[in-house]
Amino acid sequence: MADLLVYGSYGYTGQLIVAEATDRDLDVVVAGRDRNAVENQAIRQGCEERVFALDEPRLLDLALEEADAVLNCAGPFTETAEPMVEGCLRTGTHYLDITGEIEVFERLAAEDERADDEGITILPGVGFDVVPTDCLAAHLAERLPDADRLALGFEASGGISPGTAKTAVRGLGGGGAVRRNGRIESSPIGSERRRIDFGAGERTAMAVPWGDVSTAYHTTGIDDVAVYTAVPSWVPRAARLGSVFGPIAGAGPVQSLLESLVDARVDGPDERVRREGESYVWGEVETADGERAVSRLVAPETYRLTKLAAVEIAGRVVAGEAPTGFQTPAGAFGPDLILDIEGVERMDEPVEQRG
C-alpha cells in the first residue's frame, strides 16, 4: 500500500508537493484525469500513477484503497473536495487538501462524526492556507485564554499559481466574510480595513474571506474572527467600487475570458522567488476587559511553505499521529506545528492592558 496519493499532482503546487514528498522518501502515487500529464510526471518522479476523474466512483475507490491518505491538490475545491471525501469515507482513507475556501472548510466540518466513525482524518487546508495563520491563532489563544476577539493578517511576496488565480477569478462575484458572535457573515470587500505592523512598520490591510474565518473558530473557539491581507493604500477603495460590478465579474462569459487569460499569462513563482521570498503573518487577540496580545511569524515564500507544510502534515497523518474526525492543522498537531517547518520564526509582544 502506498503512503500518499496526490490528486491533481501535475498542477503547479501538486508538482512541488510530489517532489518534496519523494525527497522525504514517502511512497507517492501521482493521480489526476489528464493521462498524458500523469504518466509523464510518473516517469519523471519514479512514481506509480492512477488516471481517473472524480465522477468515476469505481476508479476513485480503487485508487484510494491503495493509499493510506490522499492529498487533494485539484481545485476549485468547492467542486473536488466533496466527491473525494465521499470516496475516503467509503474506503477508510485519510483526506488532506490545500484549500483556503471557507465554504469547503464548513462543509467538511459537518462530516466530523462520519469521519470519526470510519476512523479517518479529514484535514483540509494543509498549505499556506491555513497552516501558519491557524497555528498563530492557536498560539495566541494559549497566551490569552479569555480572548473573545481574534484578528489575523498576512503579507506575502512573489506571484501566484494558475490554480490560485482561477480560484480568485471564480470568487469575483462574491464579497468578504468575517465571523461575528460565532456566525460567518458576509461583508462588502474592502469595507473593513486597518493598519497592521507585520514586522517592518505599519501597512494598510483589508479584510478578506480567508479560510481562518472558518478554521480559527474550530481551533480556538473564539467567536469573532477577521483576517486581513496587506495591500496598497488605494486598494480598499477600489475594492469597494469593484463590488458594485461583482455580479458582472461573476458572470459565466466574463469568468471564461478571465480564466483563458490566466492560462495564457500566469505561470507561478519561479524557483529563485520560492527560495528567496518570505511571508509574514500577524495575529492579535483581545479580551472583553481590555487585555491584548500580539504575535508574528516570519516564514518562507507561500508556495515553498505550502509544499513543506503539506508534506510534513501528510507524513504525520500516514504515521497515524492525527486524531480522527474533522481537524484543523493546529487542532490536530498544536500551535508549534509551524515551528517544525524549515525557515519559520515566531515572535511575541508582551501582553498589554488597554485602558
Side-chain angles (χ1 to χ4, degrees):
M1 177 176 281
D3 294 327
L4 185 67
L5 185 145
V6 180
Y7 190 77
S9 59
Y10 46 81
Y12 179 87
T13 308
Q15 291 186 60
L16 298 177
I17 288 171
V18 169
E20 181 70 19
T22 55
D23 284 348
R24 296 199 196 184
D25 295 324
L26 285 175
D27 184 5
V28 177
V29 175
V30 295
R33 61 183 183 179
D34 185 326
R35 180 173 297 276
N36 287 336
V38 170
E39 291 180 349
N40 289 336
Q41 184 183 29
I43 293 170
R44 292 194 307 272
Q45 294 292 157
C47 298
E48 291 189 31
E49 81 277 356
R50 298 291 181 269
V51 179
F52 59 91
L54 295 181
D55 59 359
E56 300 175 299
R58 178 176 168 275
L59 294 179
L60 168 62
D61 289 1
L62 287 173
L64 291 176
E65 286 170 353
E66 298 175 347
D68 292 317
V70 61
L71 175 48
N72 181 13
C73 297
F77 297 94
T78 51
E79 298 176 7
T80 64
E82 190 167 0
M84 186 69 83
V85 166
E86 288 298 325
C88 288
L89 289 166
R90 292 192 298 267
T91 60
T93 308
H94 301 298
Y95 175 85
L96 311 172
D97 69 30
I98 54 171
T99 190
E101 296 160 84
I102 294 172
E103 178 184 346
V104 175
F105 289 116
E106 290 296 289
R107 188 183 302 174
L108 297 191
E111 302 296 345
D112 176 56
E113 185 174 347
R114 290 177 68 199
D116 192 42
D117 289 344
E118 296 299 330
I120 70 168
T121 300
I122 294 178
L123 206 172
V126 299
F128 184 79
D129 318 1
V130 295
V131 174
T133 39
D134 191 52
C135 289
L136 197 63
H139 175 67
L140 285 162
E142 287 188 354
R143 293 189 65 202
L144 213 58
D146 294 331
D148 58 5
R149 293 183 300 280
L150 168 67
L152 298 164
F154 61 93
E155 180 179 15
S157 62
I160 63 173
S161 72
T164 301
K166 287 184 178 180
T167 297
V169 165
R170 293 185 181 104
L172 286 176
V178 296
R179 190 180 284 272
R180 296 283 184 261
N181 299 316
R183 299 177 63 86
I184 296 174
E185 299 178 356
S186 60
S187 62
I189 194 75
S191 63
E192 298 198 29
R193 59 179 174 174
R194 61 181 293 171
R195 300 283 290 176
I196 292 175
D197 182 358
F198 293 93
E202 288 191 344
R203 293 281 314 277
T204 297
M206 73 175 189
V208 289
W210 202 247
D212 297 89
V213 173
S214 171
T215 54
Y217 172 76
H218 294 289
T219 301
T220 68
I222 295 174
D223 284 342
D224 285 18
V225 181
V227 186
Y228 298 83
T229 187
V231 295
S233 59
W234 55 266
V235 168
R237 181 176 298 178
R240 291 197 301 274
L241 178 63
S243 67
V244 175
F245 301 99
I248 298 173
V254 175
Q255 293 211 342
S256 296
L257 173 61
L258 293 174
E259 288 186 21
S260 68
L261 291 174
V262 168
D263 288 331
R265 301 187 180 185
V266 179
D267 296 321
D270 61 23
E271 194 276 335
R272 182 189 63 80
V273 171
R274 294 195 305 270
R275 183 181 66 251
E276 298 178 2
E278 290 184 321
S279 55
Y280 307 90
V281 181
W282 165 93
E284 172 191 80
V285 283
E286 297 177 285
T287 67
D289 60 4
E291 281 190 296
R292 175 179 179 265
V294 170
S295 297
R296 297 179 179 85
L297 297 173
V298 178
E301 182 272 339
T302 58
Y303 288 95
R304 177 172 172 79
L305 179 59
T306 289
K307 75 168 185 175
L308 294 173
V311 176
E312 174 70 24
I313 291 172
R316 296 187 186 199
V317 170
V318 167
E321 299 175 15
T324 60
F326 171 81
Q327 301 293 329
T328 63
F333 301 115
D336 291 345
L337 163 68
I338 192 63
L339 300 182
D340 290 329
I341 307 300
E342 178 186 355
V344 176
E345 298 180 16
R346 187 173 67 201
M347 295 76 69
D348 297 331
E349 290 186 5
V351 175
E352 65 179 25
Q353 179 72 49
R354 291 182 166 181

